[in-house]
Amino acid sequence: MRLSLRRFPLKTRMVLILGLIALLQTGALGLFALHYLTTSLEEEIGERALHVAKTIASIPQVIDAVTERDISRLQPLSLTLAERTEARFVVIGDRDGLRLAHPVAKRLGRSMAEDDDDELTPTLAYGLAQVTRAEGSLGLSMRARAPIYDNSGEQIVGLVSVGYLLDRVDTYISRYRLTMTLVILAALAFSILTAVWFAGHFKKAIFGLEPEEIGRLFQERNATLQSIREGIIAINTRGEITTLNEAARSILELPSDADLLGQPVTEVLPDSRMPEVLSSDQPQFDQEVRLGEQALIVNRVPLHHSGQVVGVVSSFRRKDELHQLGQKLSRIQQYADSLRSQAHEYSNKLHTIAGLIQIGANDEALALIGQETRDHQALIHLLVEAVPDPVLAGCLLGKYNRARELGLVLEIDPDSQMSDLPEWIPREQLVSILGNLLDNAFEATLNQGGHGKAVRMSMTDLGDDLIFEIEDRGPGIPDDQHQLIFNKGVTSKQAEGHGLGLHLVHSLLQQLNGTITIEPGTPDGSRFTVYIPKQPHSTNLHGAADE
């Protein structure tokens, strides 16, 4: 049945099921009512028969006639009594159970046991009045028997049997059966109409989807929630958690085996601001919160249904993951700039060499080629010897070419050494720090009209710190600006999009427990010195804090 019903749409299934249930219910109630009515009618008729039998047994004429066994008096009297009481029959018997009065005259004098077998004994022997349902000589009837006592009331001299045929009961039942059938059909029709209305309303509430589609969407929803890396929590209007994915458990360090659905969010996360969004109906985007040793970026959005707030959904992610993503993009941008610089630089050199060859200046062309080769070979030799790490070496080589493209010179101190670079320091963070400082030095030097000037850099891994020095030929930085320039958005440039590089440098150094100082350059400009400890510190930027 279940398999066959799946072939039908939900609306048809609901109509069939509700209609069948209504039919079974009304049918069962109808059968019960008919049975109860039949039983009640038969009991009522039996009580009436018993009352009539006892009344006839107490009539003095009947007592005298039975005592004298006077059939001629009892026969017409029984017929009269049956007519007056509307009984089907009144049968009177003597002490031995022989008929003294009977509606059929030819049965007179014969034993009443033909109809009642040994059921006469309780009445004749013990004086018990009884009501029975039996098939007698006159048909199926409800009959009552009562003993007849003599005038002294001590000795049983006979019995009276009064019966009412049950054909009238069948007539009553047939009449009620028709009524019950009409009621059942009316209830079935009403149930079907109600089922049609309810099914339509239900389908509208579930957006016209079938149960199988809802089940599939529910599975897809759960799979989607569990597959994304962002933590997701949803609450209802009572502030109870209705959705919690595995990423949320991991980020919030909640027990993986605890059933938190249905729990108040304020008990699971006491400092959560989701109830605030629930009451204010105002979304919150890109909120930075602290949870223990973690920094999170949180979004909270209210859910609406029919214009009412029905819940809140919160999504969140570790801030360091976003930083890592930004740093990777920055690193890719730096590689792209390096390649572009190299391509542009070599294109210019090749054009110059080609021009010299065309005008016959072969010696000058060879000298230019030699000079280019010596410069790059010297830089590559220095990087190979002093900077074994390929990521850092590649960054410096790219910045060298970038400086030449801008008309500057990046001078790296030949005594530099950076071979003891700890594994725990993320290379993308180190590259981002040096890359932003060098780009800032290039811009400062160019803004000062420093075409052809050199930006100097030195580095050393001696001692407990990694030390990097970058000196530009810019206008310098006033003493009162040394701390302000690391704030987000602070810049001396008019164009938009600046004021982020030094802020990022400062943030990354905080994560590495490093420091940066600013000093006047020689003879002008500024010198930035970066100190990064080789040993990781026990705490970092993500110190313990409340959410």
Side-chain angles (χ1 to χ4, degrees):
M1 186 66 177
R2 182 178 62 182
L3 295 176
S4 61
L5 283 178
R6 287 184 177 179
R7 302 175 182 176
F8 299 100
L10 176 61
K11 189 173 184 179
T12 303
R13 278 185 269 179
M14 295 183 68
V15 171
L16 291 176
I17 293 175
L18 293 178
L20 179 60
I21 292 175
L23 179 61
L24 293 176
Q25 288 180 337
T26 53
L29 290 175
L31 293 176
F32 172 77
L34 291 175
H35 175 72
Y36 181 78
L37 179 62
T38 302
T39 304
S40 299
L41 288 174
E42 289 181 354
E43 290 179 354
E44 181 181 352
I45 293 173
E47 291 294 329
R48 181 179 181 184
L50 182 60
H51 176 72
V52 171
K54 289 181 177 181
T55 301
I56 294 175
S58 63
I59 297 175
Q61 294 91 332
V62 173
I63 296 174
D64 293 341
V66 171
T67 302
E68 299 173 0
R69 295 180 57 81
D70 188 352
I71 296 177
S72 60
R73 291 171 58 189
L74 290 174
Q75 179 67 11
L77 181 59
S78 67
L79 295 176
T80 302
L81 291 173
E83 182 179 356
R84 288 181 179 180
T85 58
E86 297 182 350
R88 181 63 183 84
F89 61 86
V90 175
V91 179
I92 302 174
D94 61 8
R95 181 68 181 80
D96 298 324
L98 299 178
R99 296 188 183 99
L100 301 177
H102 194 279
V104 181
K106 65 180 182 178
R107 294 181 180 273
L108 293 174
R110 298 170 63 178
S111 175
M112 294 175 65
E114 294 178 353
D115 296 335
D116 297 323
D117 299 326
D118 61 347
E119 292 182 1
L120 299 176
T121 302
T123 304
L124 292 175
Y126 306 107
L128 297 178
Q130 289 183 317
V131 177
T132 60
R133 184 178 188 272
E135 182 76 30
S137 60
L138 297 178
L140 183 64
S141 62
M142 290 297 295
R143 63 181 65 182
R145 291 183 299 277
I148 301 174
Y149 289 89
D150 60 10
N151 290 326
S152 65
E154 295 179 356
Q155 186 177 359
I156 298 175
V157 295
L159 78 162
V160 177
S161 178
V162 177
Y164 289 86
L165 294 180
L166 295 180
D167 53 354
R168 296 178 64 183
V169 175
D170 292 336
T171 302
Y172 290 144
I173 296 302
S174 298
R175 187 185 309 165
Y176 283 108
R177 185 180 294 113
L178 177 60
T179 302
M180 290 300 301
T181 301
L182 294 177
V183 171
I184 291 174
L185 292 177
L188 178 62
F190 176 77
S191 299
I192 292 176
L193 293 177
T194 303
V196 171
W197 172 84
F198 178 75
H201 179 75
F202 187 75
K203 284 280 288 184
K204 183 178 179 181
I206 60 176
F207 304 100
L209 298 173
E210 295 296 322
E212 292 78 11
E213 294 175 327
I214 295 176
R216 185 172 62 253
L217 290 175
F218 180 76
Q219 293 177 340
E220 291 177 356
R221 172 254 195 192
N222 286 339
T224 301
L225 286 176
Q226 301 305 331
S227 64
I228 61 178
R229 296 184 60 187
E230 285 195 358
I232 302 293
I233 296 181
I235 62 172
N236 56 21
T237 52
R238 297 185 296 275
E240 298 170 344
I241 297 176
T242 57
T243 299
L244 179 71
N245 67 349
E246 290 301 322
R249 289 179 182 269
S250 176
I251 294 174
L252 301 177
E253 298 180 353
L254 299 174
S256 60
D257 55 347
D259 185 10
L260 301 178
L261 298 182
Q263 298 293 325
V265 68
T266 52
E267 293 184 5
V268 179
L269 301 171
D271 297 321
S272 175
R273 298 181 63 184
M274 295 181 71
E276 175 185 326
V277 177
L278 186 65
S279 59
S280 66
D281 192 19
Q282 296 297 321
Q284 299 176 355
F285 297 106
D286 298 330
Q287 298 283 320
E288 182 175 347
V289 300
R290 310 284 282 183
L291 181 64
E293 296 184 354
Q294 299 184 93
L296 305 179
I297 302 298
V298 183
N299 294 285
R300 307 179 186 93
V301 180
L303 296 176
H304 297 89
H305 181 70
S306 301
Q308 300 293 326
V309 180
V310 296
V312 177
V313 174
S314 175
S315 63
F316 48 91
R317 195 165 188 170
R318 292 187 178 93
K319 184 179 179 181
D320 55 359
E321 292 183 1
L322 299 178
H323 271 238
Q324 291 176 6
L325 179 60
Q327 292 163 6
K328 290 180 180 178
L329 293 176
S330 176
R331 180 177 171 182
I332 292 173
Q333 180 65 40
Q334 292 174 1
Y335 287 160
D337 291 342
S338 298
L339 292 174
R340 182 175 59 82
S341 299
Q342 287 184 341
H344 187 269
E345 179 69 14
Y346 280 113
S347 177
N348 290 336
K349 296 296 182 181
L350 289 175
H351 289 161
T352 303
I353 293 172
L356 292 174
I357 293 175
Q358 289 178 358
I359 64 176
N362 296 333
D363 294 337
E364 289 78 359
L366 291 174
L368 181 59
I369 294 174
Q371 179 63 36
E372 184 68 20
T373 302
R374 285 191 299 273
D375 292 343
H376 275 82
Q377 287 298 324
L379 176 62
I380 292 174
H381 179 75
L382 171 63
L383 293 178
V384 169
E385 293 293 333
V387 187
D389 187 86
V391 176
L392 179 57
C395 173
L396 296 178
L397 181 60
K399 292 303 178 182
Y400 174 84
N401 292 320
R402 175 61 176 165
R404 297 189 63 177
E405 180 185 10
L406 296 174
L408 302 173
V409 178
L410 175 59
E411 294 182 355
I412 300 179
D413 189 341
D415 295 327
S416 295
Q417 182 68 30
M418 191 56 60
S419 59
D420 188 15
L421 191 59
E423 292 294 332
W424 71 271
I425 297 180
R427 298 305 187 262
E428 62 272 8
Q429 293 188 7
L430 183 60
V431 165
S432 182
I433 292 171
L434 296 179
N436 279 285
L437 288 176
L438 287 172
D439 288 339
N440 191 68
F442 294 160
E443 291 185 20
T445 303
L446 288 175
N447 291 338
Q448 195 67 12
H451 186 76
K453 291 185 177 181
V455 172
R456 295 185 176 88
M457 177 180 179
S458 65
M459 50 190 167
T460 180
D461 56 5
L462 298 177
D464 297 330
D465 296 327
L466 304 179
I467 303 175
F468 299 88
E469 286 188 358
I470 298 175
E471 185 175 346
D472 60 44
R473 291 293 175 266
I477 300 174
D479 293 343
D480 58 353
Q481 297 291 317
H482 283 186
Q483 296 301 323
L484 296 178
I485 62 173
F486 294 108
N487 294 336
K488 186 176 182 180
V490 175
T491 179
S492 59
K493 306 175 182 65
Q494 300 298 323
E496 295 183 0
H498 293 280
L500 299 177
L502 291 179
H503 172 71
L504 179 59
V505 168
H506 186 261
S507 298
L508 294 175
L509 285 174
Q510 281 186 312
Q511 295 183 37
L512 299 175
N513 297 294
T515 58
I516 184 171
T517 61
I518 304 175
E519 299 174 347
T522 304
D524 52 11
S526 301
R527 182 187 302 112
F528 290 80
T529 305
V530 173
Y531 301 89
I532 301 176
K534 293 182 180 180
Q535 297 298 324
H537 201 270
S538 57
T539 59
N540 52 29
L541 178 62
H542 306 295
D546 294 332
E547 181 181 3

